[in-house]
Amino acid sequence: MRTHLNPLAVVRNLGILAHVDAGKTTVTERILFATGTTHKRGEVHDGTTVTDFDPQERDRGITIFAAAVSCAWDGHRLNLIDTPGHVDFADEVERALRVLDGAVAVFDAVAGVEPQSESVWRQADRHGVPRIAFVNKMDRAGADLDAAVASIRERLHPAPLVVQLPVGSEDTFTGVVDLVRMRALLWADDGTCEDVPVPGGLRGEALARRRSLEEAVAELHPGALEEFCVTGALSEGTLSSALREVTRDGDGVVVLCGSAYRNRGVEPLLDAVVAYLPSPLDVPPVRGTDDGEEQTRPADPAAPASALAFKVHATPTGRLTYLRIYSGTIEKGDTLWDASAGRSERIGRILRVQADRHAPLDRAVAGDIVAVVGLKSARAGSTLCAAEAPLVLEPPGVPEPVVSVAVESRRAGDTDRLASGLARLTEEDPSLVVRSDPETGQTVLSGMGELHLEVAVEKLRRELGLEVNVGRPRVSYRETVGRGVSGLVFRHVKQDGGAGQFAHVVLDVEPHEEGGFEFRSAVVGGRVPQEFVRAVEAGCRDALTEGPLGGHPVTGLRVTLTDGATHVKDSSDTAFRTAGRLGLREALRACAMVLLEPVVEVTVTVPGEAVGGVLGDLAARRGKVTGSVSRAGAAVVTATVPLAELFGYATRLRSRTQGRGTLTARPTGYAPAPVAASAR
């Protein structure tokens, strides 16, 4: 085992990211097998994987919940999170990326960059997470490393740095040439690997690709450029060091290839994780706030403790809260301060996580990802810290739900159990929202898509034994201003004994092209004091919850307070907040309003002979085709379609194509909808 000055230097916190069915879970299983963590290779199709341990994941054959595992390789500890690839579970990916230091992005060697690959890549961009790429399924018919790399360059725009050359292609893929060491790695059918000189037939191509790699690295790294200019080449040490720095700076992405299912290419991938992805010491100190002042905490076990809860999982034996520890040390029995909720929490037990299995720990230090038992109220996004050194870390963002269903218990006596079950669901998954419809009295469950809600309802049935009726899915519409109004005058006067209420406001309302809501004050001469201006803005924000077309939230508008008046006794914050709320509602009724509906980009892959029927079906669903390409004997059609028109489409597509068609979708925002849609 290697020796390091700091134990954190041998820690790697990484995620596995990809489009659904690109092979993330199989890569994770082979990593666990290669590291000796498991002694039998788990298979997705057999339902024997370690990370897809939930019954629904095994039934559906997809990853639904992010699962954490720990393993060891070459003297390093890898804390690995296998993330979902389906767009409905993007929030699981978001919360995982918030606490990771690096990631492996898995791509299909035939399909290249797919829609959800692009989505998770952009999520990683937002969090500044360094990545390496693994082009999987090199043994499939139509596999093409160069085409996959070209799609990475064109669609994701990093500088792909290919460090391997495949040996063989499709079903004859047997190994790779390591272009950094200029050695070949060949795998036998029994899984054994042999490190040999580069085969003579590949030496010329390997040298040409090594030269291209050196040139690409020299363009990105000043030190490498200096050596390249002096000697005309890069040594193995310089190339490795430059690749590490370029990867950690986010200027390039190292690309490897293999076939996880056939257990080829996994060991070099692990070596690349250790060599190129950062340790907790290599990332900037975590930033947080205390009383509005920004602070940083280094990844130091001796610093005051700070940790971010990124996942909560209720099990039959207790509530598990997953933590990324950024600084300090926590021990079993410690009391920490929940800075988000303002209360103390006691650590009952600390566990090293192996998916659904756990190993007890006495303590955990900066850089660790662990689960703890005993926290009563900490939720995903909560900051736990030392009480004497409070700090609030930025929580992961939570997306707005786009699809809703009404849920009710079939048995009258189960109403309370349903309420507690829904509360547990939203505690585990912040992207689920439960509310009561004031008009119908129904309980409405909202989420990121049909599958997301299906999984949530099935969880109620399986884990709590609840019989639940589910209403037809409905999408979340928005309203916006198409044409505004100027100089709308609203006077709020109320006198019912004692102090009265008086507020006079004049509002301009106009569309805001960037979306969202913007409030400005153009009042001069102090006619409306500043504290009342803030109250008017708060009232306007209150009015945005229900628009005049159908009671949907309002977005995409700018409100300007141009004038107003006060009363020496009867004006107050409450009066001006009420005037802002009622005044904006009246202004919106005078505006030309536009109904917005959520739209998604769908990618449909079908046999060539089924394209005509698919195009006609998409057109009937108000879809706009944006692209169509042929790939490996199939047609790939991309279109923008209103989400409301996609309910049940996956089933119809399968029936139209005898089960050979596949569909993926990702949200792209909102677009104007027919007014009649609000009645759906």
Side-chain angles (χ1 to χ4, degrees), residues 393-651:
L393 303 176
E394 181 183 353
V398 180
E400 285 193 31
V402 294
V403 181
S404 303
V405 292
V407 292
E408 63 179 13
S409 55
R410 288 185 186 172
R411 295 190 292 264
D414 283 346
T415 303
D416 290 342
R417 290 181 63 216
L418 175 62
S420 63
L422 290 171
R424 175 172 148 183
L425 284 180
T426 57
E427 182 180 34
E428 292 188 356
D429 185 351
S431 63
L432 287 170
V433 176
V434 177
R435 63 180 176 84
S436 179
D437 190 313
E439 293 183 11
T440 64
Q442 290 177 307
T443 299
V444 178
L445 178 64
S446 303
M448 302 307 298
E450 270 189 288
L451 180 59
H452 190 204
L453 296 178
E454 254 182 59
V455 166
V457 170
E458 186 63 22
K459 202 165 187 180
L460 291 173
R461 291 174 175 150
R462 290 192 183 199
E463 296 186 8
L464 301 179
L466 286 167
E467 293 296 324
V468 181
N469 291 325
V470 181
R472 186 180 183 276
R474 299 183 63 179
V475 302
S476 298
Y477 293 93
R478 297 286 184 268
E479 297 177 28
T480 192
V481 175
R483 185 181 67 252
V485 296
S486 298
L488 184 130
V489 178
F490 186 85
R491 258 172 103 83
H492 173 62
V493 181
K494 186 176 181 182
Q495 193 74 46
D496 52 4
Q501 292 187 24
F502 177 89
H504 175 96
V505 296
V506 182
L507 302 175
D508 289 353
V509 180
E510 58 186 328
H512 187 25
E513 294 180 359
E514 296 180 7
F517 170 71
E518 182 182 346
F519 180 87
R520 299 189 301 193
S521 173
V523 177
V524 296
R527 291 178 58 81
V528 180
Q530 188 59 39
E531 62 269 23
F532 293 162
V533 171
R534 288 193 291 268
V536 174
E537 179 180 356
C540 289
R541 291 186 182 277
D542 294 341
L544 299 178
T545 57
E546 293 183 9
L549 290 181
H552 309 294
V554 182
T555 187
L557 73 161
R558 180 186 290 114
V559 177
T560 305
L561 177 65
T562 60
D563 201 0
T566 62
H567 185 277
V568 66
K569 289 185 177 180
D570 293 343
S571 290
S572 63
D573 282 357
T574 301
F576 272 91
R577 183 165 185 159
T578 303
R581 183 180 76 253
L582 299 180
L584 182 54
R585 284 185 178 172
E586 186 172 308
L588 292 175
R589 286 193 290 271
C591 292
M593 299 296 291
V594 177
L595 183 70
L596 301 175
E597 63 181 344
V599 294
V600 296
E601 181 188 77
V602 299
T603 301
V604 184
T605 305
V606 293
E609 64 271 16
V611 172
V614 167
L615 292 176
D617 201 358
L618 288 172
R621 295 171 185 270
R622 297 189 284 129
K624 296 179 181 177
V625 175
T626 56
S628 179
V629 297
S630 295
R631 183 191 295 155
V636 182
V637 179
T638 307
T640 302
V641 187
L643 179 62
E645 301 289 349
L646 280 182
F647 295 134
Y649 178 61
T651 303

Side-chain angles (χ1 to χ4, degrees), residues 357-376:
R357 299 189 296 273
H358 314 102
L361 297 172
D362 290 329
R363 64 205 295 265
V365 300
D368 269 335
I369 292 179
V370 295
V372 297
V373 180
L375 306 189
K376 302 298 184 186

